[in-house]
Amino acid sequence: MLATGRDRTFPGTGRGRGRKHRTMTSIAADAEAWIRRYEKSPDSAVRLVCLPYAGGSASYFFPVAKALAPLIEVLAIQYPGRQDRHREPCIDDIGKLADAIVGALEDLGGQEGPGGLNDKPLALFGHSMGATLSYEVALRLEERGVKPVRLFVSGRRAPSRVREESVHVRDDAGVLRELRLLNGTSGEVLENEELLRMALPAIRSDYRAIESYRCEPGRRISCPITALTGDADPRATLEEVRDWANHTTGEMDLTVLSGGHFFLNDHVPHVLEMISERLLPANRS
């Protein structure tokens, strides 16, 4: 699982912006708190809801939104307890997080006119903790009659593959050892005591959420799954990632890329191309 407390962005062009510089549509209060639209794409063919890793924030996906617009509109999820939501209490339960995100998406749908969330196809992308969370969101959306066209899960073993982990109960030094192992936090953050004090509550809360998560046996989504993993990820073996196939009644495809838990950062063009090909098949060359 990745963790960072800074406004780190998905590598590529652009950087995360402060809220006062964002261009977002005026939406209901809950949706405004949870959803970031960094690039308005009213004529997009599909929406992609992106969920960050443990300790991460919506701005990680700012370059993704820029790169995929205007054909794919990115909705980046902002968890409480970080960036502009740093004064809000964190949510340390995957189920409660999923409920809140679905509620925010429904609020957004209410602002979209006739059809709401069904007015255009919707897909989900989650990395690490965000992958598990996106699966739980997909389950809830399908229960409400909104079937995602695809679920992208990155850097995370299947929900049924449980490891007994306890990073969230470690002292601060123990949490920092985990961050260094996964190479998901910049050296500037690890060496800056003030930044660490700001980041650690959200990081610890997210670890508590994902480490205490247990999926409900027998529940499956019906949409296809695309799984991505690094060949040297210490937190997800190839066998564990393959088991995502047991969590959908649809198809599942797997891509293995070089790198560790943060492999995405070394394969940005390839990952963006893959997303576009899966969601916009008519554009394939």
Side-chain angles (χ1 to χ4, degrees):
M1 163 185 349
L2 287 173
T4 180
R6 286 214 67 176
D7 296 356
R8 185 169 187 167
T9 60
F10 198 96
T13 59
R15 292 186 58 83
R17 299 178 180 177
R19 188 164 189 171
K20 64 181 179 180
H21 298 301
R22 294 192 183 106
T23 300
M24 296 186 294
T25 56
S26 177
I27 53 180
D30 285 350
E32 185 176 3
W34 286 87
I35 298 171
R36 301 289 175 269
R37 275 175 159 169
Y38 295 119
E39 191 74 19
K40 291 196 295 185
S41 303
D43 298 322
S44 62
V46 61
R47 291 190 180 100
L48 180 64
V49 180
C50 294
L51 292 84
Y53 46 85
S57 52
S59 62
Y60 182 72
F61 295 106
F62 173 78
V64 178
K66 300 290 289 185
L68 296 180
L71 294 179
I72 299 173
E73 181 181 41
V74 170
L75 307 181
I77 299 299
Q78 183 78 303
Y79 309 140
R82 62 218 74 200
Q83 290 188 330
D84 54 324
R85 303 188 70 187
H86 71 278
R87 296 185 184 278
E88 300 178 44
C90 298
I91 299 176
D92 60 3
D93 181 276
I94 293 294
K96 291 179 180 178
L97 274 168
D99 288 340
I101 291 167
V102 171
L105 290 172
E106 289 177 330
D107 283 340
L108 174 66
Q111 300 293 319
E112 299 294 337
L117 287 178
N118 281 313
D119 67 346
K120 65 179 65 178
L122 179 146
L124 296 156
F125 182 103
H127 183 74
S128 194
M129 182 189 81
T132 300
L133 183 54
S134 65
Y135 164 72
E136 287 292 330
V137 170
L139 284 168
R140 287 158 172 78
L141 287 175
E142 290 195 350
E143 289 173 352
R144 289 159 171 78
V146 180
K147 178 182 175 180
V149 293
R150 185 168 293 271
L151 171 61
F152 295 91
V153 292
S154 170
R156 184 67 188 176
R157 56 190 180 269
S160 56
R161 298 301 294 258
V162 177
R163 296 189 188 185
E164 295 300 328
E165 297 172 322
S166 56
V167 174
H168 72 277
V169 300
R170 296 181 188 177
D171 59 15
D172 290 352
V175 174
L176 294 179
R177 283 196 300 273
E178 178 73 5
L179 304 188
R180 292 189 176 97
L181 170 67
L182 300 184
N183 194 28
T185 301
S186 70
E188 182 181 356
V189 173
L190 293 177
E191 301 302 324
N192 189 308
E193 184 177 348
E194 182 178 359
L195 286 176
L196 278 175
R197 283 201 304 269
M198 294 175 60
L200 280 173
I203 294 171
R204 193 181 299 279
S205 176
D206 288 352
Y207 269 94
R208 184 181 298 112
I210 193 59
E211 290 178 343
S212 62
Y213 168 79
R214 299 294 182 269
C215 72
E216 183 178 333
R219 294 182 74 196
R220 294 185 178 188
I221 57 175
S222 61
C223 72
I225 293 177
T226 291
L228 303 93
T229 190
D231 60 5
D233 190 340
R235 293 293 177 258
T237 67
L238 189 57
E239 179 184 4
E240 290 173 323
V241 176
R242 284 198 180 107
D243 268 358
W244 276 103
N246 296 321
H247 293 272
T248 179
T249 59
E251 65 177 19
M252 182 267 196
D253 62 275
L254 171 63
T255 295
V256 181
L257 299 170
S258 61
H261 192 70
F262 217 176
F263 68 93
L264 285 178
N265 290 354
D266 298 322
H267 301 280
V268 176
H270 181 79
V271 172
L272 293 176
E273 181 181 8
M274 178 183 298
I275 291 171
S276 295
E277 287 183 349
R278 298 296 192 280
L279 297 184
L280 304 168
N283 287 358
R284 292 180 185 176
S285 57

